[in-house]
Amino acid sequence: MKLVLSEFVTLDGVSQGPGSATEDTSDGFTRGGWLVPYFDEAFVKQTVDWLARADGLVLGRRTYEAFARDWPQITDPGDPFTVRMNTLPKYVVSTTLTEANWRPTTILKDLASVGELKKKAGGELQIHGSARLGNALLRAGLVDVVRLVVAPTVIGTGRRLFEHPGDAAGLRLTEQAATPSGLLLLEYETVGAAPVAEYEGVTAFV
């Protein structure tokens, strides 16, 4: 299966609390809900399509516990995500979690277990939220695709998606689109180490 890191980010790279003011207030964060003003039909259609490609969700402990708390409570039959989120196999990577009640869930103890999971036949294993886990898997060379929804807003504070130290990663843009509300939908394929080069053109501008 292909491992896809799927994230919502602001223009300044913040991934914390896109859905509501109370979604993630850790470290005193008070600016959640920044993605919601840009929801439109094109965005919902695309995210429904992306979720339909998933054969499983890979989550860190904190995201798993938040999702397990909230998603089973959504009973709106018109919500396009609820059935998929609640019925897809979940794989939570944690060394501390001992019980997982949001079924079906499998607890994985290390990143190597994610690598073994990728060897199974299927479509996509999608990482939603779980920025720390996503970064760790990217550093380990296990992420195949980085899928970003970029909101046209600058938050100025909050946890950033790629702020965690690690090796430089190279990406190749494979898909791009924009919604009427201004969201950028970007898909990248990982290509190993980030390329670097020396500029040999004009060295001074007058």
Side-chain angles (χ1 to χ4, degrees):
M1 287 190 280
K2 184 181 294 185
L3 186 62
V4 178
L5 176 59
S6 182
E7 298 284 349
F8 304 143
V9 295
T10 64
L11 281 176
D12 53 341
V14 173
S15 61
Q16 186 171 2
S20 77
T22 59
E23 178 182 358
D24 183 354
T25 58
S26 60
D27 302 319
F29 183 65
T30 60
R31 300 183 182 179
W34 43 265
L35 183 70
V36 179
Y38 305 101
F39 281 11
D40 58 20
E41 184 177 346
F43 167 71
V44 173
K45 183 176 183 298
Q46 181 61 80
T47 51
V48 168
D49 175 71
W50 283 336
L51 191 59
R53 305 178 196 179
D55 282 332
L57 304 176
V58 177
L59 306 167
R61 179 187 58 80
R62 293 201 316 171
T63 299
Y64 175 81
E65 289 178 340
F67 282 11
R69 178 194 66 215
D70 296 339
W71 279 106
Q73 307 306 316
I74 300 175
T75 58
D76 179 6
D79 185 277
F81 308 105
T82 302
V83 172
R84 291 287 290 166
M85 291 296 290
N86 284 322
T87 58
L88 276 170
K90 270 77 70 173
Y91 303 93
V92 55
V93 183
S94 173
T95 58
T96 59
L97 196 66
T98 59
E99 186 175 343
N101 297 320
W102 187 29
R103 303 186 185 280
T105 293
T106 301
I107 299 174
L108 305 178
K109 293 300 184 181
D110 50 37
L111 300 185
S113 299
V114 180
E116 290 301 312
L117 188 60
K118 286 184 58 181
K119 295 177 182 179
K120 295 184 178 182
E124 294 183 354
L125 289 168
Q126 295 180 358
I127 308 163
H128 292 271
S130 308
R132 290 183 177 88
L133 174 63
N135 273 276
L137 290 166
L138 188 63
R139 290 197 302 271
L142 293 173
V143 173
D144 300 296
V145 172
V146 176
R147 187 176 287 152
L148 301 178
V149 175
V150 184
T153 186
V154 174
I155 295 298
T157 187
R159 192 167 54 252
R160 285 169 170 77
L161 175 59
F162 296 122
E163 67 182 353
H164 309 292
D167 297 333
L171 303 171
R172 182 175 68 86
L173 183 67
T174 56
E175 294 185 25
Q176 58 184 314
T179 71
S181 68
L183 294 171
L184 292 180
L185 313 178
L186 305 174
E187 187 162 309
Y188 297 89
E189 182 180 81
T190 57
V191 294
V196 295
E198 294 290 336
Y199 180 61
E200 298 178 354
V202 177
T203 57
F205 297 91
V206 294

